[in-house]
């Protein structure tokens, strides 16, 4: 099992550009989520999904879109990147025992 | 809405000393509580969790935590710190039955030789 994979590992964008952060899991977990990690702020929940076709907002959803067309994939889209979105992004999937498994992260810089 | 508070951002202990990382929670319904650890440049790993039942929970790497409803606390302890315990530790909470997990701001643990 690869677990939770994220691509790319690093990305630099210019303000106003769009991009998609990819997240995939091979554990057949229904629950998936996206967090951003910023110094002194911990991890903040952006969006989450309890199954294919179902998504909901977390604590800091503005500026981000998600969709869940399959159980395996949960991409995070930035439609118009802003410097405030410079962060490390983590994707996670959760099993029925309430354990969450995290990917290695994507480090995003917006200039 | 539920939340957790980790007071302070950094704690330093000597190798072999007790590790105590504090976490207090706020929840209007019975919570599920978690501790995760993050080593440098990695994602988070589950240390332990409390859902129901025994209030003293044992996790990996010799860590344990006790759920105290009267004190709304879920402090993490380890009797003897090891250099390899140096990492950032996050307390998390979810509402019982929901997988939606919210974290505290984290606590960076330094272990001095």
């Amino acid at each position: 099992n690869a677990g939770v994979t994220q691509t790319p590992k690093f990305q630099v964008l210019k303000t106003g550009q769009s991009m998609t952060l990819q997240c995939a899991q091979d554990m057949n977990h229904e629950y998936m989520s996206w967090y951003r990690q910023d110094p002194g702020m911990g991890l903040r929940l952006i969006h989450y999904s309890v199954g294919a076709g179902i998504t909901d907002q977390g604590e800091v959803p503005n500026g981000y879109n998600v969709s869940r067309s399959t159980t395996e994939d949960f991409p995070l889209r930035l439609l118009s990147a802003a410097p405030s979105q410079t962060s490390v992004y983590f994707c996670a999937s959760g099993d029925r025992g309430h354990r969450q498994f995290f990917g290695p992260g994507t480090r995003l810089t917006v200039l | 809405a539920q939340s957790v508070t980790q007071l302070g951002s950094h704690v330093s202990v000597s190798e072999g000393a007790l590790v105590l990382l504090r976490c207090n929670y706020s929840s209007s319904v019975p919570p599920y509580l978690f501790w995760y650890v993050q080593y440098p440049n990695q994602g988070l790993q589950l240390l332990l969790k409390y859902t129901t039942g025994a209030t003293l929970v044992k996790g990996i790497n010799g860590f344990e935590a006790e759920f105290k409803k009267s004190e709304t606390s879920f402090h993490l302890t380890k009797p003897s710190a090891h250099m390899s315990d140096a990492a950032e530790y996050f307390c998390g909470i979810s509402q019982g039955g929901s997988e939606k997990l919210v974290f505290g701001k984290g606590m960076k643990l330094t272990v001095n030789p």
Side-chain angles (χ1 to χ4, degrees):
Chain A
N1 281 352
V4 179
T5 58
Q6 291 184 239
T7 56
K9 284 186 169 34
F10 301 94
Q11 182 70 49
V12 179
L13 293 178
K14 294 181 179 178
T15 297
Q17 287 185 314
S18 64
M19 80 159 296
T20 300
L21 307 185
Q22 301 292 344
C23 175
Q25 52 97 4
D26 61 0
M27 297 173 281
N28 202 33
H29 291 162
E30 293 293 334
Y31 182 81
M32 296 185 74
S33 56
W34 276 101
Y35 292 87
R36 59 177 289 173
Q37 184 175 23
D38 303 289
M41 302 295 291
L43 279 88
R44 292 180 290 171
L45 183 64
I46 305 172
H47 286 285
Y48 64 100
S49 168
V50 297
I54 307 169
T55 64
D56 204 348
Q57 297 180 351
E59 304 167 86
V60 289
N62 292 340
Y64 307 94
N65 282 351
V66 292
S67 59
R68 184 95 179 270
S69 56
T70 67
T71 299
E72 294 78 19
D73 300 299
F74 191 42
L76 179 72
R77 279 183 287 276
L78 286 71
L79 296 179
S80 179
S84 61
Q85 293 178 304
T86 293
S87 187
V88 182
Y89 291 85
F90 289 98
C91 177
S93 72
D95 67 12
R96 293 181 184 273
H98 298 273
R99 298 178 302 174
Q100 299 223 11
F101 298 83
F102 283 77
T106 293
R107 189 174 296 272
L108 176 67
T109 301
V110 183
L111 302 175
Chain B
Q2 67 268 35
S3 64
V4 290
T5 300
Q6 296 180 251
L7 290 178
S9 60
H10 185 262
V11 64
S12 182
V13 301
S14 298
E15 192 173 19
L18 172 71
V19 176
L20 171 61
L21 303 180
R22 298 178 186 275
C23 175
N24 288 89
Y25 71 89
S26 172
S27 180
S28 57
V29 298
Y32 288 4
L33 294 160
F34 306 81
W35 277 99
Y36 281 79
V37 61
Q38 183 182 33
Y39 298 103
N41 298 313
Q42 294 186 26
L44 278 69
Q45 303 172 33
L46 179 66
L47 269 180
L48 50 81
K49 63 174 182 173
Y50 168 79
T51 53
T52 59
T55 57
L56 181 63
V57 180
K58 295 188 185 298
I60 61 171
N61 300 338
F63 284 94
E64 64 181 35
E66 187 170 10
F67 172 66
K68 292 187 176 180
K69 185 178 179 181
S70 61
E71 299 177 9
T72 61
S73 69
F74 190 58
H75 302 331
L76 181 71
T77 61
K78 181 175 180 177
S80 177
H82 192 272
M83 297 295 289
S84 59
D85 295 327
E88 192 158 14
Y89 293 80
F90 293 90
C91 182
I93 185 170
S94 67
Q95 187 171 314
S98 167
E99 294 93 344
K100 179 183 172 185
L101 178 60
V102 176
F103 287 101
K105 292 183 190 274
M107 181 72 72
K108 186 173 182 180
L109 174 67
T110 299
V111 181
N112 301 308

